[in-house]
Amino acid sequence: MIAAIGLKLSHLQAMLLFALVISIAFGFLGRRQPIDRVKYIIWSLFLFLLIGVGIGWAMYPFSR
Amino acid sequence: MSDETAAPLAPPQDSRREAVAFLIGAAGWLVPGLGHAILKMWGRAAACFLTVGLLVVFGAGMRGNVFNSNGNDAFDTLGYVADLGAGTFYIVARSLETNGADVSHADGDYGTRFLAAAGVLNLLAALHAYEVARGRKA
């Protein structure tokens, strides 16, 4: 089982996985047409990553 | 004396629809995607089941904290409420995490967020199913 093995992900991998899964859920819940869903998923994923990386860089000066 | 200010009673059909919508929302909370499946929204049902399931499996795999009812502070209680949002998948998360939580590493911390997000996402999906059943959303 995956839980017994112990999953090891980097920060970026965990963020990517989280953003992808949540974007898919938002796309399916928020839109009806398949093409609209795909657009919404891509846009949502892009914003998740942009804001995530942006906040990461914004915190960089305070990390040391 | 006239009774003009009294609120009109809801027709029996509306109250029945409200009750059915509530049951659909509750079903969607208990089993992720079931509310949408009852409404024959197969794509949304599959998406809810898979996304909530993936978040729970990965969250437990990363040894995130699955909160229980006897938390020490308000944050533990909030975490418990969020985790409970996953319905029966909360029990799945507990059974998957045989080695217990380990939040001493970043993985465990991420796992905790994954599990909480699974619960909140499922609550959102259940609310969506409830609103669709009420006829407020398409």
Side-chain angles (χ1 to χ4, degrees), chain B:
Chain B
M1 197 169 156
S2 70
D3 197 15
E4 286 175 1
T5 54
L9 286 172
Q13 201 176 357
D14 282 0
S15 61
R16 187 176 174 275
R17 185 176 193 175
E18 191 73 26
V20 170
F22 180 79
L23 286 176
I24 287 172
W29 166 67
L30 269 177
V31 181
L34 183 60
H36 287 101
I38 292 169
L39 294 167
K40 295 186 170 43
M41 296 173 137
W42 306 115
R44 281 173 172 159
C48 290
F49 187 85
L50 290 176
T51 52
V52 174
L54 270 177
L55 286 172
V56 165
V57 168
F58 280 116
M62 293 159 90
R63 297 183 68 184
N65 199 354
V66 186
F67 293 100
N68 55 33
S69 57
N70 43 13
N72 294 320
D73 54 31
F75 291 108
D76 283 2
T77 308
L78 273 176
Y80 177 57
V81 171
D83 286 356
L84 265 190
T88 48
F89 279 23
Y90 173 78
I91 301 163
V92 173
R94 288 195 78 89
S95 62
L96 279 177
E97 213 172 79
T98 48
N99 295 332
D102 178 15
V103 290
S104 61
H105 304 287
D107 287 320
D109 239 0
Y110 272 112
T112 305
R113 308 299 162 237
F114 273 51
L115 290 166
V120 175
L121 185 64
N122 189 43
L123 286 178
L124 182 73
L127 192 64
H128 184 270
Y130 168 72
E131 288 291 309
V132 171
R134 286 181 77 197
R136 284 192 165 195
K137 274 194 175 183

Side-chain angles (χ1 to χ4, degrees), chain A residues 1 3 7-9 11 28 32, chain B residues 44 58 61 96 107 110 138:
Chain A
M1 289 298 288
L7 193 62
K8 296 283 174 203
L9 294 177
H11 288 265
F28 272 82
R32 281 183 71 94
Chain B
R44 281 173 172 159
F58 280 116
L96 279 177
D107 287 320
Y110 272 112

